[in-house]
Amino acid sequence: MAASSKAQVLSLYRMLIKESKKFPSYNYRTYALRRVRDAFRENHKVDDPKVQEQLIRKAWDTLALIQRQAQGHLGWDLACERQ
């Protein structure tokens, strides 16, 4: 993996961890953090560029999902507090 790709993957990993920490629910937060860490540990030795590209695309999709879900939970918590 090229140096720029390593930097890109590391940046993506950091974003996933940061977004996972935004879940207000302990259970969701720890599950998301564990899944992100496990996925990166499991795939850190992948050498095939095509597989790496697929994994990076999947990680970006996961990031978008985590962002939507964390926002949804935040919105739900705010709605519950207003009642």
Side-chain angles (χ1 to χ4, degrees):
M1 191 180 311
S4 63
S5 293
K6 283 186 180 184
Q8 178 187 15
V9 171
L10 185 57
S11 174
L12 178 56
Y13 176 77
R14 287 179 179 150
M15 286 189 286
L16 282 160
I17 294 294
K18 183 179 177 181
E19 291 299 319
S20 295
K21 289 180 179 181
K22 292 182 179 180
F23 279 107
S25 168
Y26 172 80
N27 290 333
Y28 286 111
R29 185 173 53 248
T30 55
Y31 176 76
L33 288 167
R34 186 176 66 244
R35 291 287 296 150
V36 168
R37 289 180 181 133
D38 289 349
F40 274 81
R41 283 184 190 132
E42 180 181 326
N43 296 307
H44 81 281
K45 292 191 178 190
V46 173
D47 292 331
D48 184 10
K50 289 182 181 180
V51 175
Q52 287 176 348
E53 186 61 36
Q54 290 173 346
L55 291 169
I56 289 171
R57 268 193 246 114
K58 184 177 178 182
W60 279 109
D61 292 342
T62 301
L63 177 62
L65 177 103
I66 289 172
Q67 289 172 332
R68 284 192 311 269
Q69 292 296 319
Q71 278 297 343
H73 283 283
L74 289 174
W76 176 258
D77 289 344
L78 292 174
C80 290
E81 288 176 5
R82 289 181 189 153
Q83 293 180 355

